[in-house]
Amino acid sequence: VDLSDDHATLQHQARLTTVMWATFFPVGLLGALASWLRLRYFHRTVLQRFRGKTSLDKPWEVFEVTDSRQCGIAQRPKDPFMIVLISSFLIDVQSSYQSGYSQLQQHTQRSGMSGQADDLVSYVEYTRNHALALRVHREALNSMRTVWEILLHAHVRFQTLAEAISRMDAAIKAADRVYKSVLARHLGHIQMVRLYAKFLEHVKHDPWGAAKWFAEAEKLESADEDQKNQDAIDGLDVSDPELRAAMMSAGPLGGTGANPRCVIIINAQGQIQMTNRALLDVFGYTKAEIRERNVGLLMPPSTAAVHNTYLRNYITSGQPKILNQATEQLAMTKDRRLLPVSLMVTKISGIAEDSSFLGILE
């Protein structure tokens, strides 16, 4: 059609309109017939599967499905995947998170899975909030990059620069609001706290605030590692009753007293694998300074020089010298002070090169 010819264009439009009206009803009837036939086929197929079954038969055993979402939470009340799926739906789709959460809790309480559902809902919520924080963080960084790209041009329009700065300020304020809202719910998550510290450092250019939140993340990480170390030490199978009693009397890993007991675990190469808080406090080291270092770091040079030899002789010969008995030794702190200690060492796991040893110093 020649679009410059108005008469020809109008005739073409009229023909198209006539064709559309002429085919609208036949195509609609054909679609309705196809839908009715499809529903009838599935209806008859399902009825045939269930015919002769009792009310006690589980539906998914009678008519097998390939996706548990087809059964729904009513049919699979104890399926973790289904609970996570429904949790995601209630959080992302429902207008109010609280209403969705209360509905899920009512169901899980009836099915006797309240504690597990709480954990799953918390995990889904944290994952969603973490993704939200990452998105606004990225948007703030992109807005800052846009401003710098404009400034790098030889000729800059004031209006363009003002608009870019305005968008950057809005993105940073929005990200700050999101972070504060997320941290109010997930203050104990190390990853979220450290992400906010990076936001303060690189986006808001607040080094003092960033240092505060980095310190908070270190504190949370230290407490979490102490708890893991405590659980690992509590789970050790120590056969010697005297050593077990000493470990039990050592108290919590984070606790220190006038004469604290220090716990340390090393491998067959003498590398420090695990310590308790008391040892770090007494010797003046941090976890980063002492992790994977040779245990000779805690000894005077004269003792450290021969300790690896003693360890190697035991690995090769299997003949212990100081295992499972208390001995008086000298230890050395970070600031080079000598401490008299009562040391008890035992082998806790492994064979030869895979051996691990636990020592208690008092």
Side-chain angles (χ1 to χ4, degrees):
V1 176
D2 185 4
L3 297 180
S4 62
D5 186 350
D6 293 338
H7 179 69
T9 302
L10 289 174
Q11 284 186 334
H12 179 65
Q13 291 176 351
R15 286 195 298 271
L16 283 180
T17 303
T18 302
V19 170
M20 289 176 64
W21 276 110
T23 57
F24 179 80
F25 292 103
V27 170
L29 290 174
L30 193 62
L33 178 62
S35 298
W36 179 80
L37 290 174
R38 182 174 183 273
L39 287 174
R40 180 175 175 81
Y41 167 75
F42 283 111
H43 186 67
R44 295 187 62 177
T45 303
V46 172
L47 284 182
Q48 183 178 0
R49 292 288 187 90
F50 278 87
R51 188 171 289 114
K53 303 296 182 181
T54 66
S55 59
L56 298 178
D57 293 322
K58 291 181 169 52
W60 58 85
E61 294 177 355
V62 177
F63 191 90
E64 183 179 357
V65 295
T66 58
D67 193 337
S68 61
R69 286 174 292 185
Q70 297 178 20
C71 294
I73 194 70
Q75 299 294 342
R76 293 182 179 264
K78 295 187 178 182
D79 184 355
F81 170 77
M82 179 56 62
I83 295 177
V84 171
L85 182 69
I86 297 299
S87 303
S88 302
F89 169 77
L90 295 175
I91 292 172
D92 293 330
V93 180
Q94 294 285 13
S95 58
S96 170
Y97 165 74
Q98 292 297 334
S99 63
Y101 179 76
S102 61
Q103 293 174 22
L104 181 64
Q105 276 214 324
Q106 290 174 6
H107 165 75
T108 51
Q109 286 173 359
R110 288 195 299 268
S111 61
M113 294 183 63
S114 179
Q116 183 179 355
D118 286 345
D119 293 339
L120 290 170
V121 172
S122 300
Y123 170 75
V124 172
E125 183 192 12
Y126 172 74
T127 303
R128 176 176 176 268
N129 287 334
H130 185 260
L132 176 62
L134 283 176
R135 187 172 72 246
V136 296
H137 193 138
R138 190 179 300 111
E139 289 173 355
L141 288 174
N142 287 335
S143 64
M144 293 175 64
R145 183 181 65 180
T146 301
V147 171
W148 283 107
E149 287 176 348
I150 293 174
L151 291 173
L152 289 175
H153 292 163
H155 302 283
V156 180
R157 294 182 63 249
F158 179 79
Q159 182 65 25
T160 303
L161 180 61
E163 291 175 354
I165 293 176
S166 177
R167 288 193 296 269
M168 180 185 70
D169 290 340
I172 292 175
K173 289 179 181 178
D176 193 48
R177 287 195 300 269
V178 168
Y179 268 116
K180 289 178 179 178
S181 174
V182 170
L183 285 172
R185 293 184 177 182
H186 308 290
L187 188 58
H189 285 77
I190 302 170
Q191 189 177 14
M192 188 65 72
V193 173
R194 185 169 283 118
L195 189 64
Y196 182 57
K198 292 180 180 179
F199 171 77
L200 292 176
E201 182 179 17
H202 300 298
V203 179
K204 296 194 71 176
H205 303 294
D206 181 7
W208 294 275
K212 171 189 171 184
W213 285 97
F214 274 127
E216 181 66 23
E218 291 293 334
K219 188 189 301 182
L220 291 172
E221 189 174 25
S222 177
D224 182 63
E225 190 169 345
D226 284 346
Q227 184 59 47
K228 289 180 180 178
N229 290 351
Q230 180 68 58
D231 294 340
I233 292 176
D234 288 343
L236 293 175
D237 182 17
V238 181
S239 57
D240 185 71
E242 184 179 357
L243 181 61
R244 188 63 187 175
M247 289 178 57
M248 295 300 293
S249 63
L253 286 176
T256 58
N259 191 23
R261 286 183 173 88
C262 305
V263 179
I264 183 171
I265 295 178
I266 65 173
N267 60 15
Q269 289 72 44
Q271 295 174 326
I272 299 173
Q273 304 298 304
M274 189 182 301
T275 63
N276 68 345
R277 172 59 58 184
L279 185 137
L280 298 176
D281 292 340
V282 169
F283 285 83
Y285 290 99
T286 63
K287 288 183 181 294
E289 291 174 331
I290 205 172
R291 184 180 297 137
E292 299 296 333
R293 297 286 300 276
N294 193 279
V295 70
L297 183 72
L298 308 178
M299 305 174 187
S302 58
T303 307
V306 296
H307 179 267
N308 285 340
T309 303
Y310 292 153
L311 192 59
R312 178 54 52 189
N313 289 338
Y314 173 75
I315 296 299
T316 55
S317 66
Q319 299 298 323
K321 289 188 176 181
I322 63 169
L323 289 185
N324 301 324
Q325 57 182 330
T327 59
E328 302 299 324
Q329 303 287 343
L330 280 178
M332 189 173 66
T333 65
K334 183 180 179 180
D335 56 4
R336 316 300 290 180
R337 290 184 298 109
L338 292 177
L339 296 177
V341 298
S342 175
L343 173 65
M344 181 177 290
V345 182
T346 188
K347 180 180 174 181
I348 55 175
S349 65
I351 299 175
E353 296 293 339
D354 296 328
S355 302
S356 296
F357 303 89
L358 179 141
I360 296 180
L361 299 84
E362 183 176 2

